[in-house]
Amino acid sequence: MTLQEYDYARESPSKLAASCLLLALTMKNLGGWTPTLEYYSGYSAQDLHPLVKRLNFLLTYQPRDKLNAVRSKYSHRVFFEVAKVTPMDMLKLEERLTSS
């Protein structure tokens, strides 16, 4: 989704990937940013928090008329139906990020 959004072009690909991973871990309640993830990514959880919030906002307020083919593809069980995952409430996300 970020490939279609100019605002994300200035972010480094590694930081974007790390932020996506942290958002996914948080959304699925699979734990937080571990010392191992910090070491290998080079980013602390605090470095990623602003971008994680922006990504969740993008998921929450995405226009439904764009990227229909992508949404359809990733709604299939082969891709674990990730397009159907409900974005987190912004306040709940903030709470989880600050508690970890």
Side-chain angles (χ1 to χ4, degrees), residues 34-67:
T34 64
T36 303
L37 289 170
E38 184 173 341
Y39 176 80
Y40 285 106
S41 71
Y43 299 105
S44 70
Q46 288 73 26
D47 294 338
L48 303 175
H49 286 180
L51 187 52
V52 168
K53 292 175 196 173
R54 285 179 48 216
L55 289 166
N56 191 62
F57 185 86
L58 179 65
L59 287 173
T60 303
Y61 298 104
Q62 63 181 322
R64 293 288 176 200
D65 58 337
K66 293 170 73 175
L67 305 173

mmCIF file of all heavy atoms in Angstrom, residues 34-67:
data_model
loop_
_atom_site.group_PDB
_atom_site.id
_atom_site.type_symbol
_atom_site.label_atom_id
_atom_site.label_comp_id
_atom_site.label_asym_id
_atom_site.label_seq_id
_atom_site.Cartn_x
_atom_site.Cartn_y
_atom_site.Cartn_z
ATOM 1 N N THR A 34 11.702 -7.178 20.191
ATOM 2 C CA THR A 34 12.672 -7.850 21.056
ATOM 3 C C THR A 34 14.074 -7.282 20.847
ATOM 4 O O THR A 34 14.346 -6.639 19.831
ATOM 5 C CB THR A 34 12.705 -9.363 20.754
ATOM 6 O OG1 THR A 34 13.180 -9.550 19.417
ATOM 7 C CG2 THR A 34 11.321 -9.991 20.916
ATOM 8 N N PRO A 35 14.977 -7.533 21.775
ATOM 9 C CA PRO A 35 16.374 -7.110 21.590
ATOM 10 C C PRO A 35 16.994 -7.708 20.313
ATOM 11 O O PRO A 35 17.803 -7.056 19.654
ATOM 12 C CB PRO A 35 17.077 -7.624 22.842
ATOM 13 C CG PRO A 35 15.997 -7.682 23.878
ATOM 14 C CD PRO A 35 14.757 -8.077 23.129
ATOM 15 N N THR A 36 16.590 -8.919 19.951
ATOM 16 C CA THR A 36 17.106 -9.545 18.723
ATOM 17 C C THR A 36 16.641 -8.771 17.498
ATOM 18 O O THR A 36 17.438 -8.501 16.589
ATOM 19 C CB THR A 36 16.644 -11.017 18.631
ATOM 20 O OG1 THR A 36 17.081 -11.704 19.802
ATOM 21 C CG2 THR A 36 17.192 -11.695 17.391
ATOM 22 N N LEU A 37 15.358 -8.401 17.460
ATOM 23 C CA LEU A 37 14.846 -7.616 16.339
ATOM 24 C C LEU A 37 15.521 -6.250 16.282
ATOM 25 O O LEU A 37 15.840 -5.760 15.194
ATOM 26 C CB LEU A 37 13.332 -7.457 16.454
ATOM 27 C CG LEU A 37 12.510 -8.707 16.193
ATOM 28 C CD1 LEU A 37 11.048 -8.480 16.581
ATOM 29 C CD2 LEU A 37 12.619 -9.134 14.738
ATOM 30 N N GLU A 38 15.745 -5.656 17.439
ATOM 31 C CA GLU A 38 16.426 -4.362 17.480
ATOM 32 C C GLU A 38 17.852 -4.483 16.947
ATOM 33 O O GLU A 38 18.304 -3.659 16.152
ATOM 34 C CB GLU A 38 16.442 -3.813 18.907
ATOM 35 C CG GLU A 38 17.057 -2.440 19.002
ATOM 36 C CD GLU A 38 16.922 -1.821 20.387
ATOM 37 O OE1 GLU A 38 16.066 -2.261 21.169
ATOM 38 O OE2 GLU A 38 17.691 -0.888 20.674
ATOM 39 N N TYR A 39 18.537 -5.525 17.360
ATOM 40 C CA TYR A 39 19.919 -5.717 16.935
ATOM 41 C C TYR A 39 20.019 -5.899 15.417
ATOM 42 O O TYR A 39 20.808 -5.234 14.753
ATOM 43 C CB TYR A 39 20.520 -6.940 17.649
ATOM 44 C CG TYR A 39 21.916 -7.269 17.192
ATOM 45 C CD1 TYR A 39 23.005 -6.553 17.679
ATOM 46 C CD2 TYR A 39 22.148 -8.276 16.256
ATOM 47 C CE1 TYR A 39 24.294 -6.843 17.252
ATOM 48 C CE2 TYR A 39 23.422 -8.569 15.825
ATOM 49 C CZ TYR A 39 24.498 -7.850 16.323
ATOM 50 O OH TYR A 39 25.774 -8.132 15.893
ATOM 51 N N TYR A 40 19.224 -6.800 14.873
ATOM 52 C CA TYR A 40 19.333 -7.114 13.452
ATOM 53 C C TYR A 40 18.710 -6.060 12.538
ATOM 54 O O TYR A 40 19.132 -5.901 11.399
ATOM 55 C CB TYR A 40 18.757 -8.498 13.148
ATOM 56 C CG TYR A 40 19.686 -9.591 13.602
ATOM 57 C CD1 TYR A 40 19.399 -10.347 14.725
ATOM 58 C CD2 TYR A 40 20.873 -9.845 12.932
ATOM 59 C CE1 TYR A 40 20.266 -11.330 15.165
ATOM 60 C CE2 TYR A 40 21.752 -10.822 13.361
ATOM 61 C CZ TYR A 40 21.448 -11.565 14.476
ATOM 62 O OH TYR A 40 22.317 -12.533 14.909
ATOM 63 N N SER A 41 17.725 -5.327 13.031
ATOM 64 C CA SER A 41 17.132 -4.280 12.189
ATOM 65 C C SER A 41 17.906 -2.965 12.309
ATOM 66 O O SER A 41 17.919 -2.167 11.381
ATOM 67 C CB SER A 41 15.675 -4.036 12.580
ATOM 68 O OG SER A 41 15.578 -3.398 13.829
ATOM 69 N N GLY A 42 18.490 -2.755 13.482
ATOM 70 C CA GLY A 42 19.178 -1.493 13.723
ATOM 71 C C GLY A 42 18.252 -0.406 14.241
ATOM 72 O O GLY A 42 18.667 0.749 14.371
ATOM 73 N N TYR A 43 16.994 -0.752 14.531
ATOM 74 C CA TYR A 43 16.011 0.230 14.996
ATOM 75 C C TYR A 43 15.456 -0.171 16.359
ATOM 76 O O TYR A 43 15.115 -1.326 16.577
ATOM 77 C CB TYR A 43 14.833 0.333 14.020
ATOM 78 C CG TYR A 43 15.224 0.781 12.643
ATOM 79 C CD1 TYR A 43 15.279 -0.115 11.592
ATOM 80 C CD2 TYR A 43 15.543 2.119 12.402
ATOM 81 C CE1 TYR A 43 15.645 0.298 10.321
ATOM 82 C CE2 TYR A 43 15.910 2.535 11.137
ATOM 83 C CZ TYR A 43 15.959 1.621 10.099
ATOM 84 O OH TYR A 43 16.325 2.038 8.852
ATOM 85 N N SER A 44 15.357 0.809 17.232
ATOM 86 C CA SER A 44 14.669 0.564 18.502
ATOM 87 C C SER A 44 13.176 0.720 18.263
ATOM 88 O O SER A 44 12.746 1.327 17.276
ATOM 89 C CB SER A 44 15.140 1.557 19.565
ATOM 90 O OG SER A 44 14.660 2.856 19.261
ATOM 91 N N ALA A 45 12.380 0.212 19.172
ATOM 92 C CA ALA A 45 10.923 0.331 19.050
ATOM 93 C C ALA A 45 10.515 1.797 19.034
ATOM 94 O O ALA A 45 9.624 2.189 18.273
ATOM 95 C CB ALA A 45 10.238 -0.413 20.195
ATOM 96 N N GLN A 46 11.177 2.620 19.832
ATOM 97 C CA GLN A 46 10.840 4.040 19.883
ATOM 98 C C GLN A 46 11.118 4.723 18.546
ATOM 99 O O GLN A 46 10.401 5.651 18.166
ATOM 100 C CB GLN A 46 11.607 4.747 21.002
ATOM 101 C CG GLN A 46 11.122 4.397 22.391
ATOM 102 C CD GLN A 46 11.519 2.978 22.817
ATOM 103 O OE1 GLN A 46 12.505 2.414 22.346
ATOM 104 N NE2 GLN A 46 10.736 2.389 23.700
ATOM 105 N N ASP A 47 12.151 4.270 17.832
ATOM 106 C CA ASP A 47 12.443 4.818 16.496
ATOM 107 C C ASP A 47 11.300 4.549 15.524
ATOM 108 O O ASP A 47 11.054 5.326 14.607
ATOM 109 C CB ASP A 47 13.714 4.188 15.903
ATOM 110 C CG ASP A 47 14.977 4.524 16.662
ATOM 111 O OD1 ASP A 47 14.994 5.542 17.386
ATOM 112 O OD2 ASP A 47 15.951 3.765 16.528
ATOM 113 N N LEU A 48 10.611 3.431 15.726
ATOM 114 C CA LEU A 48 9.590 2.973 14.787
ATOM 115 C C LEU A 48 8.179 3.463 15.106
ATOM 116 O O LEU A 48 7.313 3.456 14.223
ATOM 117 C CB LEU A 48 9.597 1.439 14.730
ATOM 118 C CG LEU A 48 10.928 0.784 14.348
ATOM 119 C CD1 LEU A 48 10.809 -0.728 14.455
ATOM 120 C CD2 LEU A 48 11.362 1.203 12.964
ATOM 121 N N HIS A 49 7.930 3.869 16.327
ATOM 122 C CA HIS A 49 6.568 4.219 16.757
ATOM 123 C C HIS A 49 5.862 5.225 15.851
ATOM 124 O O HIS A 49 4.705 4.987 15.469
ATOM 125 C CB HIS A 49 6.556 4.708 18.199
ATOM 126 C CG HIS A 49 6.746 3.611 19.194
ATOM 127 N ND1 HIS A 49 6.761 3.842 20.549
ATOM 128 C CD2 HIS A 49 6.932 2.273 19.049
ATOM 129 C CE1 HIS A 49 6.950 2.702 21.186
ATOM 130 N NE2 HIS A 49 7.062 1.748 20.291
ATOM 131 N N PRO A 50 6.488 6.349 15.471
ATOM 132 C CA PRO A 50 5.766 7.297 14.610
ATOM 133 C C PRO A 50 5.350 6.694 13.263
ATOM 134 O O PRO A 50 4.229 6.904 12.798
ATOM 135 C CB PRO A 50 6.762 8.444 14.412
ATOM 136 C CG PRO A 50 7.700 8.342 15.558
ATOM 137 C CD PRO A 50 7.794 6.874 15.879
ATOM 138 N N LEU A 51 6.232 5.908 12.663
ATOM 139 C CA LEU A 51 5.914 5.294 11.378
ATOM 140 C C LEU A 51 4.861 4.197 11.529
ATOM 141 O O LEU A 51 3.987 4.049 10.673
ATOM 142 C CB LEU A 51 7.186 4.745 10.716
ATOM 143 C CG LEU A 51 7.055 4.226 9.294
ATOM 144 C CD1 LEU A 51 6.384 5.238 8.366
ATOM 145 C CD2 LEU A 51 8.429 3.842 8.755
ATOM 146 N N VAL A 52 4.911 3.450 12.615
ATOM 147 C CA VAL A 52 3.897 2.418 12.883
ATOM 148 C C VAL A 52 2.517 3.068 12.975
ATOM 149 O O VAL A 52 1.545 2.568 12.408
ATOM 150 C CB VAL A 52 4.226 1.636 14.178
ATOM 151 C CG1 VAL A 52 3.058 0.782 14.620
ATOM 152 C CG2 VAL A 52 5.463 0.777 13.977
ATOM 153 N N LYS A 53 2.436 4.204 13.655
ATOM 154 C CA LYS A 53 1.156 4.912 13.777
ATOM 155 C C LYS A 53 0.661 5.403 12.420
ATOM 156 O O LYS A 53 -0.530 5.309 12.120
ATOM 157 C CB LYS A 53 1.294 6.075 14.752
ATOM 158 C CG LYS A 53 1.520 5.651 16.178
ATOM 159 C CD LYS A 53 1.776 6.866 17.051
ATOM 160 C CE LYS A 53 2.385 6.481 18.359
ATOM 161 N NZ LYS A 53 2.784 7.631 19.155
ATOM 162 N N ARG A 54 1.571 5.912 11.602
ATOM 163 C CA ARG A 54 1.189 6.371 10.262
ATOM 164 C C ARG A 54 0.703 5.211 9.402
ATOM 165 O O ARG A 54 -0.244 5.352 8.624
ATOM 166 C CB ARG A 54 2.370 7.065 9.579
ATOM 167 C CG ARG A 54 2.637 8.457 10.109
ATOM 168 C CD ARG A 54 3.819 9.143 9.466
ATOM 169 N NE ARG A 54 3.824 9.063 8.021
ATOM 170 C CZ ARG A 54 4.936 8.925 7.285
ATOM 171 N NH1 ARG A 54 6.120 8.855 7.876
ATOM 172 N NH2 ARG A 54 4.865 8.869 5.990
ATOM 173 N N LEU A 55 1.354 4.062 9.517
ATOM 174 C CA LEU A 55 0.940 2.890 8.747
ATOM 175 C C LEU A 55 -0.444 2.413 9.171
ATOM 176 O O LEU A 55 -1.275 2.064 8.322
ATOM 177 C CB LEU A 55 1.957 1.752 8.912
ATOM 178 C CG LEU A 55 3.294 1.957 8.224
ATOM 179 C CD1 LEU A 55 4.308 0.948 8.733
ATOM 180 C CD2 LEU A 55 3.140 1.863 6.720
ATOM 181 N N ASN A 56 -0.695 2.397 10.469
ATOM 182 C CA ASN A 56 -2.013 1.994 10.945
ATOM 183 C C ASN A 56 -3.082 2.984 10.477
ATOM 184 O O ASN A 56 -4.185 2.592 10.105
ATOM 185 C CB ASN A 56 -2.030 1.866 12.466
ATOM 186 C CG ASN A 56 -3.288 1.204 12.960
ATOM 187 O OD1 ASN A 56 -3.564 0.048 12.637
ATOM 188 N ND2 ASN A 56 -4.074 1.924 13.731
ATOM 189 N N PHE A 57 -2.744 4.259 10.458
ATOM 190 C CA PHE A 57 -3.665 5.277 9.955
ATOM 191 C C PHE A 57 -3.968 5.018 8.482
ATOM 192 O O PHE A 57 -5.115 5.108 8.056
ATOM 193 C CB PHE A 57 -3.064 6.672 10.152
ATOM 194 C CG PHE A 57 -3.990 7.783 9.780
ATOM 195 C CD1 PHE A 57 -4.904 8.269 10.701
ATOM 196 C CD2 PHE A 57 -3.953 8.343 8.521
ATOM 197 C CE1 PHE A 57 -5.769 9.294 10.361
ATOM 198 C CE2 PHE A 57 -4.810 9.374 8.164
ATOM 199 C CZ PHE A 57 -5.721 9.849 9.093
ATOM 200 N N LEU A 58 -2.941 4.670 7.716
ATOM 201 C CA LEU A 58 -3.127 4.356 6.295
ATOM 202 C C LEU A 58 -4.060 3.159 6.126
ATOM 203 O O LEU A 58 -4.943 3.170 5.265
ATOM 204 C CB LEU A 58 -1.776 4.073 5.633
ATOM 205 C CG LEU A 58 -1.785 3.696 4.165
ATOM 206 C CD1 LEU A 58 -2.291 4.851 3.311
ATOM 207 C CD2 LEU A 58 -0.398 3.276 3.724
ATOM 208 N N LEU A 59 -3.887 2.144 6.939
ATOM 209 C CA LEU A 59 -4.777 0.978 6.881
ATOM 210 C C LEU A 59 -6.201 1.326 7.269
ATOM 211 O O LEU A 59 -7.152 0.832 6.680
ATOM 212 C CB LEU A 59 -4.270 -0.125 7.820
ATOM 213 C CG LEU A 59 -3.030 -0.885 7.401
ATOM 214 C CD1 LEU A 59 -2.602 -1.813 8.534
ATOM 215 C CD2 LEU A 59 -3.274 -1.654 6.135
ATOM 216 N N THR A 60 -6.338 2.185 8.267
ATOM 217 C CA THR A 60 -7.654 2.540 8.778
ATOM 218 C C THR A 60 -8.440 3.397 7.796
ATOM 219 O O THR A 60 -9.630 3.186 7.601
ATOM 220 C CB THR A 60 -7.518 3.295 10.122
ATOM 221 O OG1 THR A 60 -6.783 2.465 11.031
ATOM 222 C CG2 THR A 60 -8.868 3.613 10.712
ATOM 223 N N TYR A 61 -7.775 4.338 7.171
ATOM 224 C CA TYR A 61 -8.464 5.307 6.316
ATOM 225 C C TYR A 61 -8.121 5.165 4.840
ATOM 226 O O TYR A 61 -8.131 6.137 4.111
ATOM 227 C CB TYR A 61 -8.167 6.726 6.805
ATOM 228 C CG TYR A 61 -8.678 6.950 8.192
ATOM 229 C CD1 TYR A 61 -7.811 6.974 9.275
ATOM 230 C CD2 TYR A 61 -10.040 7.086 8.433
ATOM 231 C CE1 TYR A 61 -8.300 7.159 10.570
ATOM 232 C CE2 TYR A 61 -10.524 7.257 9.720
ATOM 233 C CZ TYR A 61 -9.640 7.290 10.775
ATOM 234 O OH TYR A 61 -10.122 7.459 12.046
ATOM 235 N N GLN A 62 -7.836 3.948 4.415
ATOM 236 C CA GLN A 62 -7.522 3.727 3.002
ATOM 237 C C GLN A 62 -8.786 3.845 2.152
ATOM 238 O O GLN A 62 -9.852 3.405 2.560
ATOM 239 C CB GLN A 62 -6.901 2.354 2.813
ATOM 240 C CG GLN A 62 -7.844 1.206 3.179
ATOM 241 C CD GLN A 62 -7.194 -0.129 3.017
ATOM 242 O OE1 GLN A 62 -6.447 -0.321 2.097
ATOM 243 N NE2 GLN A 62 -7.482 -1.046 3.920
ATOM 244 N N PRO A 63 -8.665 4.441 0.986
ATOM 245 C CA PRO A 63 -9.831 4.487 0.098
ATOM 246 C C PRO A 63 -10.132 3.090 -0.432
ATOM 247 O O PRO A 63 -9.233 2.375 -0.864
ATOM 248 C CB PRO A 63 -9.395 5.430 -1.029
ATOM 249 C CG PRO A 63 -7.932 5.586 -0.904
ATOM 250 C CD PRO A 63 -7.525 5.152 0.466
ATOM 251 N N ARG A 64 -11.367 2.691 -0.355
ATOM 252 C CA ARG A 64 -11.766 1.339 -0.754
ATOM 253 C C ARG A 64 -11.834 1.157 -2.269
ATOM 254 O O ARG A 64 -11.924 0.049 -2.747
ATOM 255 C CB ARG A 64 -13.118 0.982 -0.144
ATOM 256 C CG ARG A 64 -13.063 0.857 1.352
ATOM 257 C CD ARG A 64 -12.328 -0.389 1.750
ATOM 258 N NE ARG A 64 -12.185 -0.465 3.189
ATOM 259 C CZ ARG A 64 -11.287 -1.214 3.778
ATOM 260 N NH1 ARG A 64 -10.455 -1.939 3.072
ATOM 261 N NH2 ARG A 64 -11.200 -1.255 5.082
ATOM 262 N N ASP A 65 -11.812 2.255 -3.025
ATOM 263 C CA ASP A 65 -11.922 2.135 -4.476
ATOM 264 C C ASP A 65 -10.574 1.946 -5.157
ATOM 265 O O ASP A 65 -10.504 1.702 -6.348
ATOM 266 C CB ASP A 65 -12.631 3.359 -5.053
ATOM 267 C CG ASP A 65 -11.918 4.660 -4.713
ATOM 268 O OD1 ASP A 65 -11.171 4.696 -3.728
ATOM 269 O OD2 ASP A 65 -12.140 5.650 -5.443
ATOM 270 N N LYS A 66 -9.476 2.024 -4.381
ATOM 271 C CA LYS A 66 -8.140 1.842 -4.943
ATOM 272 C C LYS A 66 -7.608 0.449 -4.602
ATOM 273 O O LYS A 66 -7.977 -0.138 -3.595
ATOM 274 C CB LYS A 66 -7.187 2.898 -4.383
ATOM 275 C CG LYS A 66 -7.515 4.316 -4.819
ATOM 276 C CD LYS A 66 -6.714 5.339 -4.074
ATOM 277 C CE LYS A 66 -5.273 5.380 -4.487
ATOM 278 N NZ LYS A 66 -4.517 6.454 -3.831
ATOM 279 N N LEU A 67 -6.754 -0.057 -5.449
ATOM 280 C CA LEU A 67 -6.029 -1.306 -5.210
ATOM 281 C C LEU A 67 -6.951 -2.509 -5.014
ATOM 282 O O LEU A 67 -6.676 -3.388 -4.203
ATOM 283 C CB LEU A 67 -5.082 -1.167 -4.017
ATOM 284 C CG LEU A 67 -4.065 -0.026 -4.065
ATOM 285 C CD1 LEU A 67 -3.328 0.093 -2.757
ATOM 286 C CD2 LEU A 67 -3.100 -0.201 -5.219
#
